[in-house]
Amino acid sequence: MAESSPSNEPGKTRRTSIDDPPSMSSFSGPLSEKLQCSVCLKVFTDPVSTPCGHNFCKICLNEHWDNSQIYSCPYCKYTFKQRPDLKINTTLREIADPYKKKPPEKTTEVVCDFCEERKLKALKSCLVCQSSYCETHLEPHLRVTRLKKHKLMDPVSNLEDYICQKHERPLDLFCRDDQTIVCLSCTDGDHKNHNTVSLEETELMIQDTQQMIQDRIKKIQDIKHSAEVRHRSTQKDKTACIELIRSIERHQTEQLEMIEEKQKAAEKQKKELIEELEQEITELKMRNIKLQQLSHTEDVIQIYSSLSSLRNSRNWPEISVKTHENLETLRRNLTQLKDTIDEKLDQTKLKWMQQYAVDVTLDPDTAHPNLILSDDGKQVRDGDIRQKLPDKPERFDTYLIVLGKERFSSGRFYFEVQVKGKIKWDLGVARESINRKGHISLSPSHGYWTVELMNENKYYAFDDPHVPLSLRVKPQRVGVFVDYEEGLVSFYDVKSSSHIYSFTAQSFTGKLYPYFSPGLSYGGKNSEPLIITPVMKEHVSSARAASLTGPIR
């Protein structure tokens, strides 16, 4: 080698054999120390990683936990709520296995090869010179330009194990194909075209792998935590829904019982009136016979006495009218009760949905060139003039459509849009993979879940097939609610708390985006913008106070 030390250096025995290049098992030092289990202090065997990011032999960690009442990391002492499920880190095992082929040599104090009388402790070893140096004799390596290029390392007594026995060059590469350490000359011979990396890169690979492990373990914990929270929320939702349904059922039962009691009372009254009427009929017949008898006597006093007794009789036509009115009142009360229950149920649904309100902002990169967006990204209208904008893949080029910036691939979300003063608009959500160029078909099968107002008073839900909607009042503000896992998209008139339409049992895939279309201006008749409005805080607080956290359709 061009810059190696002379062969007659004191304290050195040069190895001249050209056996097979030493394997990685003979390599030890800082890198191998990073591959040691902190429990057994040996190179990893079937390495596993804890959720806190530390690595151990699988058998060492299992034995540690088998002999303990708690599950904690032997290194940092972090305690886990339950015993983690251990999976072997195959990448780390691939790097560590070559180190285990033979035990490391016993560590001895390394002394300087150039001290003549009292040997001082070596500070560094040079792989090129194959010598160890104390602080004084190391000075040329830190000063002379050509020596600065030499590879220094922590002092070791077995420097020959760091040198390729075949080419007498430093073993500073790792062959991933043969799982062994090689020198640069080896890559021109037996290891030509093999996948090799520097030992520094190998160390970085270990660090990157450990970081990836920690990131994925944290992701698993986040998913489990999210699942637990959702499970608890679902159970709470179910309980709340059941209580609401039971409450409504109790109210309906009470009203039906009251109606039945009124019907029984009406039947009883009818029976009593009929009996009383029949009694009067009998009395009248008897009096009629008596009057016929008295009419021949011309006894005025007796005739007047018989006639005056009839004045206490009931006004039967009036009674029959009142009875009919009572039955009609019962019918009206029953209808009003049903309408009241439906109205209260719609109000409860809307308040529950409003607690999932999100902040939505319009995405200018998706907006059709004719659309004008406000600076805060909360309003959109037709500008009648096509602007010169970059034709990006995400931009709609045929229909006046713009999407929200926010995307959702799980959970529930809700937003409200003011549609006051408009004669045409579309609202809803759309899948990320929708077609944005040329002709667009609004339907769930094409990735759109929308409702539309057209011609000022005609409403449609673009389902498969389209559904005409009959609304009691014209909505001024529309609420849009999505439950991703339930496959639900619901639309509500916020002011009247009335249900407009729901897409149910949908199968969502990928990300969903809020969808807006203000419609053409029609010469100013439809110039009012669609406005994304904040959800009223009192609505949200009322929903939470009601403790209704489950999906209601």
Side-chain angles (χ1 to χ4, degrees):
M1 300 192 300
E3 298 181 353
S4 62
S5 302
S7 60
N8 59 350
E9 294 175 5
K12 289 295 296 180
T13 302
R14 173 63 64 86
R15 297 182 59 174
T16 57
S17 63
I18 52 174
D19 301 329
D20 291 336
S23 69
M24 194 173 181
S25 62
S26 63
F27 194 91
S28 61
L31 181 58
S32 61
E33 291 174 2
K34 294 180 182 295
L35 301 175
Q36 288 180 354
C37 170
S38 62
V39 176
C40 66
L41 302 179
K42 297 179 180 179
V43 176
F44 292 124
T45 298
D46 291 336
V48 293
S49 300
T50 60
C52 56
H54 296 114
N55 304 308
F56 306 92
C57 298
K58 184 175 183 180
I59 189 171
C60 293
L61 192 54
N62 279 329
E63 287 179 354
H64 176 76
W65 285 344
D66 290 342
N67 299 323
S68 176
Q69 298 297 323
I70 60 174
Y71 305 120
S72 62
C73 173
Y75 186 82
C76 69
K77 307 305 179 185
Y78 182 85
T79 301
F80 312 107
K81 292 182 180 180
Q82 59 183 10
R83 186 165 181 162
D85 184 19
L86 301 176
K87 303 294 184 183
I88 294 176
N89 182 342
T90 55
T91 302
L92 192 56
R93 181 176 62 182
E94 175 183 311
I95 297 173
D97 278 352
Y99 283 85
K100 298 185 301 179
K101 295 182 179 179
K102 70 178 183 179
E105 296 182 4
K106 183 177 180 181
T107 303
T108 59
E109 184 177 280
V110 181
V111 296
C112 176
D113 291 326
F114 292 90
C115 290
E116 296 181 355
E117 296 181 358
R118 180 172 172 267
K119 295 285 187 178
L120 297 179
K121 183 178 179 180
L123 184 64
K124 290 289 182 180
S125 295
C126 176
L127 288 179
V128 178
C129 301
Q130 300 184 44
S131 300
S132 298
Y133 302 93
C134 66
E135 184 176 3
T136 302
H137 292 107
L138 181 65
E139 188 272 337
H141 277 78
L142 304 178
R143 176 174 49 83
V144 179
T145 302
R146 67 180 183 84
L147 294 179
K148 284 182 179 181
K149 298 179 182 180
H150 288 195
K151 188 173 183 63
L152 299 176
M153 61 179 294
D154 291 337
V156 292
S157 59
N158 56 329
L159 263 174
E160 64 273 12
D161 288 337
Y162 291 79
I163 304 300
C164 176
Q165 299 177 30
K166 184 175 183 179
H167 302 108
E168 295 189 353
R169 299 190 66 174
L171 293 167
D172 51 8
L173 298 174
F174 176 57
C175 177
R176 302 182 71 177
D177 294 341
D178 294 336
Q179 294 290 292
T180 186
I181 289 182
V182 298
C183 72
L184 183 61
S185 297
C186 292
T187 59
D188 294 328
D190 296 339
H191 299 272
K192 188 175 183 179
N193 298 325
H194 284 195
N195 184 6
T196 59
V197 293
S198 68
L199 295 183
E200 288 81 0
E201 289 183 64
T202 304
E203 184 170 351
L204 289 175
M205 286 170 53
I206 296 174
Q207 295 173 356
D208 292 344
T209 301
Q210 291 175 337
Q211 184 60 48
M212 291 170 62
I213 292 169
Q214 286 181 272
D215 293 343
R216 281 153 179 75
I217 290 174
K218 185 178 183 302
K219 185 64 176 178
I220 291 172
Q221 289 177 318
D222 291 343
I223 293 173
K224 288 183 177 179
H225 176 70
S226 176
E228 290 175 1
V229 171
R230 182 164 183 81
H231 176 72
R232 290 195 298 268
S233 175
T234 301
Q235 293 301 116
K236 191 175 180 181
D237 292 349
K238 290 181 180 178
T239 303
C241 285
I242 291 172
E243 288 300 320
L244 176 62
I245 292 171
R246 287 176 178 173
S247 175
I248 294 174
E249 289 176 345
R250 285 196 299 269
H251 187 57
Q252 289 177 327
T253 301
E254 291 172 359
Q255 294 297 319
L256 289 174
E257 290 176 351
M258 183 178 69
I259 292 171
E260 288 177 358
E261 290 176 0
K262 288 184 178 181
Q263 288 177 335
K264 289 180 180 178
E267 289 294 328
K268 182 179 179 181
Q269 182 187 24
K270 182 182 73 173
K271 183 178 180 182
E272 291 175 350
L273 290 173
I274 291 174
E275 290 176 352
E276 186 176 348
L277 188 58
E278 289 176 344
Q279 178 66 28
E280 286 196 16
I281 291 173
T282 301
E283 291 178 359
L284 286 170
K285 286 180 179 180
M286 295 297 295
R287 288 170 185 169
N288 186 49
I289 294 172
K290 189 174 182 179
L291 285 172
Q292 289 178 355
Q293 293 173 350
L294 291 173
S295 64
H296 299 292
T297 65
E298 296 182 355
D299 188 337
V300 177
I301 295 176
Q302 290 187 26
I303 293 173
Y304 178 79
S305 176
S306 297
L307 289 174
S308 62
S309 65
L310 296 176
R311 293 172 186 172
N312 295 325
S313 177
R314 288 180 181 269
N315 187 344
W316 290 108
E318 181 181 347
I319 290 175
S320 64
V321 169
K322 288 184 178 179
T323 303
H324 174 74
E325 288 177 351
N326 288 338
L327 293 175
E328 181 64 23
T329 299
L330 286 174
R331 186 190 67 79
R332 286 200 303 269
N333 289 342
L334 184 60
T335 302
Q336 291 175 356
L337 172 64
K338 181 181 181 301
D339 291 341
T340 300
I341 291 175
D342 290 343
E343 182 180 349
K344 292 294 183 184
L345 189 57
D346 278 342
Q347 291 175 354
T348 301
K349 291 178 185 177
L350 181 59
K351 288 180 179 179
W352 171 80
M353 292 174 182
Q354 285 173 328
Q355 70 176 317
Y356 294 100
V358 295
D359 185 19
V360 174
T361 307
L362 300 172
D363 184 358
D365 289 339
T366 67
H368 184 278
N370 279 36
L371 294 179
I372 304 297
L373 275 60
S374 61
D375 292 339
D376 62 358
K378 297 295 184 181
Q379 302 184 27
V380 59
R381 62 179 177 84
D382 175 23
D384 280 332
I385 299 175
R386 192 176 185 90
Q387 305 170 82
K388 293 182 179 180
L389 299 175
D391 186 18
K392 297 183 178 182
E394 60 267 32
R395 188 182 304 283
F396 292 89
D397 67 353
T398 304
Y399 295 93
L400 302 184
I401 297 173
V402 60
L403 301 182
K405 288 183 180 180
E406 293 69 28
R407 55 189 181 184
F408 305 89
S409 56
S410 64
R412 302 163 179 154
F413 63 94
Y414 172 88
F415 60 94
E416 292 180 356
V417 183
Q418 179 177 305
V419 296
K420 183 178 179 180
K422 297 191 67 61
I423 62 173
K424 170 73 170 71
W425 53 258
D426 297 353
L427 287 177
V429 293
R431 196 163 41 221
E432 183 178 35
S433 59
I434 53 175
N435 176 35
R436 308 187 189 200
K437 308 296 183 182
H439 176 71
I440 292 175
S441 178
L442 295 179
S443 67
S445 60
H446 291 89
Y448 296 89
W449 293 266
T450 62
V451 294
E452 178 187 69
L453 165 65
M454 62 173 58
N455 299 330
E456 193 170 357
N457 57 10
K458 294 182 179 180
Y459 295 88
Y460 292 89
F462 287 117
D463 209 332
D464 291 319
H466 295 177
V467 179
L469 304 176
S470 177
L471 305 184
R472 291 179 295 177
V473 294
K474 187 173 183 178
Q476 304 297 305
R477 180 184 295 192
V478 176
V480 183
F481 173 77
V482 176
D483 189 324
Y484 194 96
E485 282 74 21
E486 291 289 334
L488 172 68
V489 181
S490 288
F491 298 84
Y492 271 77
D493 179 349
V494 177
K495 184 176 181 180
S496 65
S497 299
S498 57
H499 177 243
I500 296 176
Y501 189 77
S502 286
F503 296 86
T504 60
Q506 303 297 305
S507 180
F508 297 135
T509 56
K511 301 178 181 64
L512 295 180
Y513 289 81
Y515 166 101
F516 309 87
S517 177
L520 292 170
S521 173
Y522 295 115
K525 294 181 180 179
N526 192 42
S527 60
E528 292 294 327
L530 288 178
I531 304 175
I532 302 171
T533 56
V535 177
M536 301 298 289
K537 292 183 179 179
E538 57 267 24
H539 291 166
V540 177
S541 59
S542 298
R544 289 172 179 163
S547 297
L548 296 173
T549 55
I552 308 173
R553 297 187 187 138

